Amino acid sequence: MKALIAYGTRYGATTGTSEEIAKILREEGFDIKIVNLKEEKIKDISEYDLIIVGSSMGNCRYASEAEDFLKNFRKEFEGKKLALFVSTMITFFEREGKIDDVTKTRKISLEDRVAKYNLKPIALGFFGGVIDYNKMGFIARKGMEIFKPQLEKDGFKVAEGIYDLRNWDEIRNWAKELSRKAGQ
Ligand SMILES: Cc1cc2nc3c(=O)[nH]c(=O)nc-3n(C[C@H](O)[C@H](O)[C@H](O)COP(=O)(O)O)c2cc1C
């Protein structure tokens, strides 16, 4: 089966997640192309059996290039297997017991996209991303500063100013399950 992973990223976590999903799917026998939608425009998806769309979440917004991709190809997705995933703060909210934030993030990140474009995905992945204070501009850093003490306490720190919220086992299991569903 041929699969396309097309993603939008601001700070780069979605690139790493896309590459890990690609690695798993290749092990399962898929022929994979990965595209960062900011670097490459996709004109045609007819050759692919499975399309995976990834996006970062920033200030409650889906990445605009991933949104455009969903909008432009929504008709072509019919008759193909489609899966969507997002890089978010969900794993942090879960650890903090902030269930309302988990529910809200699920809704605004993917459930609203599915409804808006009338999509029929076979899988939705709500993953953690990376909070990297070194990469943020002044205003973003100010806005995200309030989370720093809890991120520290929750053990997400991987280097100075960098907090990795990704649960790799969850991401790998999602990719394995997706491979099974797509093969059906
Ligand atoms: C300024 C800023 C705003 C963010 N806003 C949200 C948000 O509204 N919801 C969320 O779940 N995560 C939010 N995040 C966390 C991102 O989802 C996380 O950093 C993710 O890794 C971004 O994906 P990317 O690294 O591929 O750009 C925000 C991060 C930054 C730096």
Side-chain angles (χ1 to χ4, degrees), residues 8-15 55-61 87-90 93 105 108 128-132 136 140-141 144 165:
T9 183
R10 176 92 195 270
Y11 297 100
T14 309
T15 307
S55 176
S56 58
M57 280 301 285
N59 297 324
C60 300
R61 296 189 72 128
S87 305
T88 68
M89 291 181 69
I90 271 182
F93 294 142
T105 305
I108 59 173
V130 178
I131 309 292
D132 185 347
M136 292 175 209
R141 197 161 49 240
M144 296 299 284
L165 313 185

